[in-house]
Amino acid sequence: MSSAPYPNPQAIFYQQYEAVRRDEVVGILLALFLGTFGLHHFYLRRTGLGVLYCCFCWTGITTFLGFIECFFMPGRVREFNAFQAAGIAAVLGISMPGWGQPMNVPPYAPQPQAQPQTQMQPGTLQACPRCQRTNAPGSRFCAGCGAALQ
Ligand SMILES: [Zn+2]
């Protein structure tokens, strides 16, 4: 066991995700050059399909299918990666980061609370004694002239 402090869930997420994620270019190249043997299916853990392609690799059909499928590989790889990421996030109990976006918000950071000051509450608006401007509830200084409120 490591004595290092427990890494944050984000770090674990990226570590695990990097280990399982697949590369679109690799997927395309596998389908194009080794699709005959279903390597692009094994790559995305579609073992059944991969075995099927291996069985029919001598027919030439799988070569043709591999050529066609290389156009679909980017989408399949993204889908695969999204699935893996969702699974890891679920295990770690963190919210799924926006797909394709860097996860730059710590999952356990306190969410910014909706500020009641921004809500219109007619009874608590404060009128400035100097310029009569109405200020948001809780304001200590006037937004218009800077005078102290109450
Ligand atoms: Zn004022």
Side-chain angles (χ1 to χ4, degrees):
M1 294 298 286
S2 170
S3 61
Y6 193 71
N8 67 58
Q10 255 182 285
I12 300 175
F13 175 87
Y14 273 121
Q15 189 181 2
Q16 296 192 355
Y17 176 63
E18 284 301 316
V20 299
R21 75 177 292 272
R22 295 296 190 259
D23 190 86
E24 295 177 27
V25 176
V26 173
I28 294 169
L29 293 178
L30 282 176
L32 197 56
F33 296 108
L34 294 169
T36 307
F37 308 101
L39 261 292
H40 57 304
H41 287 310
F42 287 114
Y43 186 58
L44 296 184
R45 292 188 191 167
R46 300 179 177 193
T47 310
L49 271 173
V51 170
L52 197 66
Y53 273 50
C54 277
C55 292
F56 289 93
C57 66
W58 53 273
T59 62
I61 295 174
T62 56
T63 307
F64 175 72
L65 287 176
F67 177 74
I68 300 295
E69 283 179 303
C70 78
F71 295 102
F72 297 100
M73 286 310 286
R76 287 184 186 174
V77 169
R78 278 195 293 269
E79 187 185 344
F80 178 89
N81 287 342
F83 188 77
Q84 302 301 320
I88 296 170
V91 168
L92 293 175
I94 62 177
S95 60
M96 180 69 181
W99 189 242
Q101 302 291 325
M103 190 164 55
N104 50 17
V105 177
Y108 293 137
Q111 296 297 317
Q113 298 294 322
Q115 299 193 348
Q117 284 89 345
T118 61
Q119 295 172 358
M120 289 302 289
Q121 295 177 353
T124 53
L125 284 173
Q126 303 183 68
C128 173
R130 192 191 293 177
C131 69
Q132 306 304 318
R133 177 193 171 104
T134 47
N135 289 277
S139 299
R140 296 183 58 195
F141 298 98
C142 172
C145 67
L149 299 172
Q150 296 178 358

